[in-house]
Amino acid sequence: MRRSRLPITLLALTALVGSSLVATAPAGAEPTAPSGADHAHDHPHSANSVRIQMTGAAMLEKVVAAGFDIDHGLRRVPDGIEGEAVVTTEQVAALKAMGVQVLDDDEGFEWSEEADGGLRSLGARAVPSYSHEKTVRVVRADWFTTKGQGFLYVEARTTEGQQASPIVAMQLENDSGQGTPFGFARTMSRFVDSGQYMFHRNLFKLDARPSQIRVTSSTGGVTTGTVSNWLEDAPPPLTARPGYQSDFVDGYQHPQQLFSRAKEIARQYPDIAEIVYLPHQTNGYQRKAQATIGGTGQEAVVVSSAAWGHEGGNDITVEFVDRPGANLPLTVEVTGKAVRVLLAKDASGALASTAAQVAAALESQSQGLIDRAHPYRTNTGTGIVAPTAGPVALSDFLDEKRVGAPEGEVPRGPASIPVLRIGKHRDGRNPGVLIQAQDHAREWVPATTTLETAERLVRNYKTDQETKKIVQDTDIFLILSNNPDGANYSFYNYASQRKNLTNHCEDANADPARRNSWGVDLNRNYRVGSGHDGYAGASTTCTSGTYQGPEKLSEPESKNIVWLVEKYSNIKFMMSVHSNGGQLFWQPGAYIADGRITTPRPPLGDEAFYWQSAGRILSQVKAHRETVVTPENVGGSSDVLYSSAGNVREDMYHTYGIYSFGWEVGGSVYNPATGNWQGGSFQPPWVGDPALVSGHAETMEYANGIMEMFRIAAEWGKDKKKPTSELVPGGGRYRGPVDVRFETSEPATVYYTTDGSRPTLESPRYEATEFREPGQVFHVTETTTFRWFSVDTAGNIERNYDPTKNDRRDNYRTATVTIGG
């Protein structure tokens, strides 16, 4: 039974599988005009990649709403969010006018690798704190190694962090192993998002693993914490097993190749695989044929065909004709696919047709050939239209950059998306796992990662016992590309394409020079935490990279996901695979920027399960080539990255109770030669330095992680073990007030009461102290009886207690804390 709950620099490639790309305009820039004068386009001024810093989610939302393509590759810095954008000189000025800081090459946030003396270096010293409430808490302290180098990552929080004046500083010290003194004092970086204090944190190199840390605030709070291992001592991946087959994908693949291979797998392995076709067809790799005639002034007219370009629109020509004489009316002649606009003349014989008048005549008199005609962008069309030098041919522009692409390689028209379903028992008995790749068209590695995963499952099923268990105990649904139209456009027309090809733009944005900015961001089109409801991170501007669509679930691609999980109600796990940030995250994924009000956070038990699963998944990634996704990049996506209103993960978790992960594959890889972290890209070279950034290496390592997710789901489905829980330090008599908390044997949600009533599923849940923190602490000052039970993520209830029934055999847990006496 289900639970119900509420750009970036792009590397241009020159070699692809079976085709090649030419250089394309940067994300957000408009395309240059093709040769000839028949089609008027904007010619962008010189564009450059610039690093920018925004004050937080509120500013990010404004920048995105203004049409700038700023998404992925972003990172939280103490004073907001940093990222990259490819912009013209004019766009740089527009960003600055919005308050965005454009950074020089040597600017931007960098973790300090040197101990700076901590509070003393700031001229501050800790003052005594006498209140009971601890003002400083260690959220996490993690040790990890990568490529032979050790790192310590620490998050701590002060209850006084929101204090504006004076700003509370925090000092971090660490020992050099058990029994050694604290030292190496350094000032922690204070992180704020949209004016809201989040935490203090640091990441720095260390050659020796510490055992303990100490954190001190400038207001006197002090606490210590134990250092834990992050992704250390990972078990060998499946690829290390004798005879295990892997490394099947040899290059980037466009949707036709992906879907063809999926169908072939289903044909080759019918006992464990099949194809499920999603019912809602996409827009298709197709566009209306267009032309902008007469420049970009008040005399310009934008013309669009009624038929799709490949269905006759590309055969249409439009000519504006000057005739001798005076007092001549504006008329339109149509011969076959040739449209001639006979321009009006006034009493003196001068041309008299305005752009608005010509547009209206084309729509009403072109015998259905012209579906849409209007003045250019926001023009009112008051200018007098000039005759053309001859017929102007309309074009859908879908062939102009298809270098090396065989004719007909990309089918036109609406597309049906196949889902490759793999499992020995595909009858609903096993937990389902949905892997959804390439919501965003330009992200090519997620597609190859998902295909590599499919190949490993079917090729190793008969020969590898662990793979056999996965296939027998789970029901796997693989969407190799959820945005085939946009992906084809990215491969053949515009590498930076992010959205699908559905065009919702009205006249102001409907001319062909804006065609690379059309479409809907599919990962902003869902129902929970939507931009339509005021959550940040989605845009109402149709040319924005994060355009949310005209309404929730407006797009067939998002409707298909809802259809799939409703039809196959055994789907309990979901991963939406993206690139290239190097993060693994879950809920909450969106917030209202004013006040940073998030969607509901998962219960503490679910949060613990997410963290536990993340550790297993990312350990398998690390096992391939020592790539470490750092703890700062793991957790609720609104905490780790930014708000993404209307994302699929939020909808799947809160609507259907599906454990839903978002994965940004790629990201930074530590380079021991330089001692720095090297960033990735949406389309890294397929073959590069195997230790650093390459599409092939990312495909292999992240396929390891997805395979581990399948094992997690299989174990979850077999889990019949009931959780246990304790009140720590427990019931009994205490002389004075005492702090108590709950602990569980595994990730589980605790429901409790302190008023004498029996606990039910409606009782208070044991919650986290704060986001990314462990469970709350109860400060008991008078005699209190706790009654409680725990439920693990598989639905097992402690002691077989039935919270829905009230009888004499209630076997919930109970403990009485007696104060005084």
Side-chain angles (χ1 to χ4, degrees):
M1 184 177 72
R2 293 188 172 205
R3 294 168 297 155
S4 179
R5 309 185 183 94
L6 267 184
I8 305 285
T9 302
L10 181 67
L11 295 182
L13 302 182
T14 56
L16 297 173
V17 179
S19 64
S20 62
L21 289 179
V22 298
T24 60
E30 295 179 324
T32 55
S35 59
D38 291 343
H39 307 284
H41 294 263
D42 291 341
H43 293 260
H45 297 281
S46 177
N48 297 287
S49 173
V50 297
R51 295 173 60 230
I52 61 175
Q53 179 175 324
M54 296 158 284
T55 56
M59 181 176 287
L60 173 62
E61 183 177 24
K62 292 178 182 178
V63 171
V64 168
F68 293 95
D69 186 4
I70 311 293
D71 195 9
H72 296 277
L74 299 176
R75 65 168 184 156
R76 290 204 176 278
V77 297
D79 297 325
I81 299 174
E82 281 185 4
E84 291 187 2
V86 180
V87 290
T88 65
T89 302
E90 288 76 9
Q91 289 172 323
V92 168
L95 284 172
K96 290 181 177 179
M98 298 175 69
V100 175
Q101 182 181 358
V102 178
L103 304 173
D104 294 332
D105 291 340
D106 58 350
E107 288 186 306
F109 176 73
E110 296 293 339
W111 293 109
S112 173
E113 296 180 5
E114 302 296 331
D116 60 7
L119 297 178
R120 182 171 299 177
S121 70
L122 300 176
R125 63 183 182 88
V127 298
S129 176
Y130 298 104
S131 67
H132 163 76
E133 180 71 23
K134 288 184 177 179
T135 60
V136 176
R137 299 189 299 272
V138 172
V139 177
R140 59 188 309 118
D142 293 300
W143 166 262
F144 65 88
T145 60
T146 177
K147 312 293 177 64
Q149 177 62 57
F151 287 86
L152 180 64
Y153 174 73
V154 177
E155 281 181 17
R157 186 174 282 116
T158 169
T159 57
E160 298 167 324
Q162 192 65 28
Q163 179 176 304
S165 181
I167 292 176
V168 178
M170 299 264 273
Q171 171 181 290
L172 169 65
E173 299 168 278
N174 62 269
D175 63 18
S176 298
Q178 191 169 5
T180 61
F182 289 113
F184 317 104
R186 63 183 72 231
T187 306
M188 298 190 74
S189 297
R190 176 177 180 265
F191 281 71
V192 174
D193 182 20
S194 298
Q196 299 298 309
Y197 170 72
M198 297 178 65
F199 36 56
H200 283 74
R201 65 184 182 185
N202 274 72
L203 172 68
F204 52 93
K205 297 177 185 177
L206 280 179
D207 293 330
R209 185 195 187 281
S211 175
Q212 294 276 314
I213 63 166
R214 182 168 63 192
V215 179
T216 307
S217 79
S218 57
T219 56
V222 61
T223 191
T224 59
T226 301
V227 176
S228 302
N229 285 333
W230 175 249
L231 311 184
E232 295 294 286
D233 305 319
L238 294 179
T239 52
R241 295 170 62 83
Y244 189 89
Q245 301 179 67
S246 62
D247 204 353
F248 297 103
V249 181
D250 60 3
Y252 292 120
Q253 300 201 10
H254 53 62
Q256 291 68 246
Q257 293 168 313
L258 295 169
F259 294 166
S260 175
R261 181 55 192 153
K263 296 171 190 177
E264 182 64 13
I265 286 173
R267 188 193 66 78
Q268 288 180 293
Y269 303 93
D271 56 328
I272 59 171
E274 65 178 304
I275 294 294
V276 174
Y277 283 99
L278 297 176
H280 301 284
Q281 288 192 312
T282 69
N283 175 84
Y285 181 73
Q286 58 185 7
R287 287 250 170 99
K288 297 298 181 69
Q290 292 185 298
T292 300
I293 306 174
T296 61
Q298 289 289 346
E299 67 280 3
V301 179
V302 179
V303 181
S304 302
S305 63
W308 297 106
H310 67 285
E311 293 180 342
N314 289 336
D315 300 325
I316 296 172
T317 62
V318 174
E319 183 179 9
F320 296 166
V321 180
D322 182 9
R323 299 165 291 164
N327 292 319
L328 299 177
L330 172 65
T331 61
V332 177
E333 296 179 346
V334 178
T335 304
K337 295 294 182 68
V339 179
R340 300 178 77 239
V341 178
L342 307 180
L343 300 173
K345 292 288 194 72
D346 62 16
S348 67
L351 292 170
S353 298
T354 66
Q357 292 169 338
V358 168
L362 282 167
E363 286 189 348
S364 62
Q365 301 177 41
S366 64
Q367 299 181 19
L369 293 179
I370 302 304
D371 178 62
R372 189 174 180 181
H374 53 87
Y376 181 79
R377 298 194 182 175
T378 57
N379 293 349
T380 57
T382 56
I384 301 300
V385 171
T388 58
V392 175
L394 274 59
S395 173
D396 62 11
F397 301 101
L398 292 181
D399 287 319
E400 67 175 346
K401 291 182 179 176
R402 295 183 62 201
V403 178
E407 184 65 31
E409 183 173 73
V410 183
R412 305 299 176 89
S416 295
I417 299 176
V419 181
L420 178 58
R421 187 182 187 187
I422 297 176
K424 182 62 178 176
H425 307 291
R426 303 184 300 280
D427 54 8
R429 75 178 74 172
N430 287 330
V433 186
L434 169 59
I435 306 296
Q436 175 207 51
Q438 207 171 38
D439 249 2
H440 294 151
R442 62 194 178 197
E443 299 167 9
W444 295 355
V445 174
T448 55
T449 299
T450 307
L451 178 59
E452 171 69 18
T453 302
E455 298 283 6
R456 292 184 187 183
L457 288 170
V458 297
R459 306 281 191 103
N460 292 293
Y461 171 65
K462 292 185 177 180
T463 58
D464 180 72
Q465 191 61 33
E466 286 299 312
T467 304
K468 185 180 292 290
K469 288 181 182 178
I470 291 173
V471 175
Q472 290 182 336
D473 295 341
T474 60
D475 191 359
I476 296 167
F477 299 81
L478 302 170
I479 302 178
L480 302 182
S481 176
N482 196 47
N483 185 4
D485 304 341
N488 277 319
Y489 198 74
S490 176
F491 266 80
Y492 296 114
N493 299 91
Y494 180 62
S496 295
Q497 178 71 14
R498 170 182 167 88
K499 302 181 287 182
N500 70 1
L501 290 194
T502 306
N503 180 16
H504 293 289
C505 285
E506 299 298 331
D507 293 355
N509 289 297
D511 58 272
R514 289 272 168 92
R515 66 187 182 277
N516 289 348
S517 298
W518 295 335
V520 173
D521 183 343
L522 300 178
N523 204 35
R524 301 295 186 274
N525 193 231
Y526 290 85
R527 299 165 293 184
V528 177
S530 169
H532 295 281
D533 296 323
Y535 286 82
S539 176
T540 58
T541 302
C542 69
T543 53
S544 168
T546 55
Y547 175 53
Q548 63 190 357
E551 59 188 24
K552 302 173 186 179
L553 295 183
S554 63
E555 304 310 294
E557 296 91 343
S558 52
K559 290 176 182 175
N560 278 332
I561 301 302
V562 170
W563 176 88
L564 188 68
V565 300
E566 290 185 348
K567 180 175 178 63
Y568 299 100
S569 59
N570 63 316
I571 294 177
K572 303 296 183 182
F573 293 83
M574 184 263 188
M575 181 176 284
S576 180
V577 190
H578 292 259
S579 67
N580 63 340
Q583 291 107 6
L584 181 60
F585 41 66
W586 46 85
Q587 304 74 46
Y591 52 77
I592 297 171
D594 185 9
R596 204 173 182 276
I597 303 169
T598 70
T599 51
R601 292 185 178 275
L604 186 58
D606 282 3
E607 181 84 2
F609 182 66
Y610 273 126
W611 276 104
Q612 181 186 81
S613 300
R616 290 181 56 175
I617 291 167
L618 296 176
S619 291
Q620 293 304 299
V621 173
K622 182 183 178 183
H624 180 72
R625 56 166 187 159
E626 287 282 294
T627 295
V628 171
V629 175
T630 61
E632 66 177 305
N633 288 315
V634 180
S637 63
S638 64
D639 307 327
V640 169
L641 199 54
Y642 47 75
S643 178
S644 52
N647 69 78
V648 64
R649 305 177 308 277
E650 207 88 59
D651 203 328
M652 296 300 101
Y653 178 78
H654 288 294
T655 306
Y656 303 104
I658 297 171
Y659 289 106
S660 303
F661 293 83
W663 205 354
E664 290 271 351
V665 307
S668 296
V669 178
Y670 181 70
N671 184 347
T674 64
N676 297 317
W677 293 82
Q678 178 177 330
S681 69
F682 295 120
Q683 301 151 16
W686 179 255
V687 178
D689 186 334
L692 298 177
V693 176
S694 75
H696 174 262
E698 291 178 7
T699 294
M700 298 304 130
E701 65 191 356
Y702 286 100
N704 282 3
I706 293 178
M707 293 297 292
E708 187 64 18
M709 184 175 178
F710 297 152
R711 298 171 81 174
I712 292 168
E715 293 172 11
W716 182 91
K718 297 288 186 182
D719 182 13
K720 303 301 179 186
K721 184 178 180 181
K722 295 169 181 57
T724 60
S725 58
E726 299 289 342
L727 187 70
V728 178
R733 187 176 297 277
Y734 298 87
R735 291 184 178 180
V738 62
D739 291 340
V740 298
R741 68 185 187 280
F742 288 112
E743 290 185 356
T744 59
S745 60
E746 60 177 295
T749 298
V750 173
Y751 296 84
Y752 70 95
T753 65
T754 57
D755 61 1
S757 62
R758 65 188 298 274
T760 70
L761 293 172
E762 302 302 318
S763 299
R765 286 189 307 218
Y766 184 53
E767 298 179 344
T769 306
E770 182 56 272
F771 70 90
R772 296 172 68 83
E773 291 196 33
Q776 64 197 106
V777 174
F778 302 98
H779 186 58
V780 182
T781 59
E782 60 184 27
T783 297
T784 303
T785 297
F786 289 84
R787 293 176 170 84
W788 78 91
F789 65 94
S790 61
V791 185
D792 70 14
T793 58
N796 299 307
I797 301 180
E798 186 173 9
R799 291 183 169 184
N800 280 328
Y801 172 61
D802 188 345
T804 65
K805 297 179 179 179
N806 190 1
D807 57 41
R808 296 178 181 178
R809 295 174 296 171
D810 276 347
N811 55 342
Y812 50 75
R813 301 294 311 278
T814 183
T816 299
V817 177
T818 302
I819 304 298

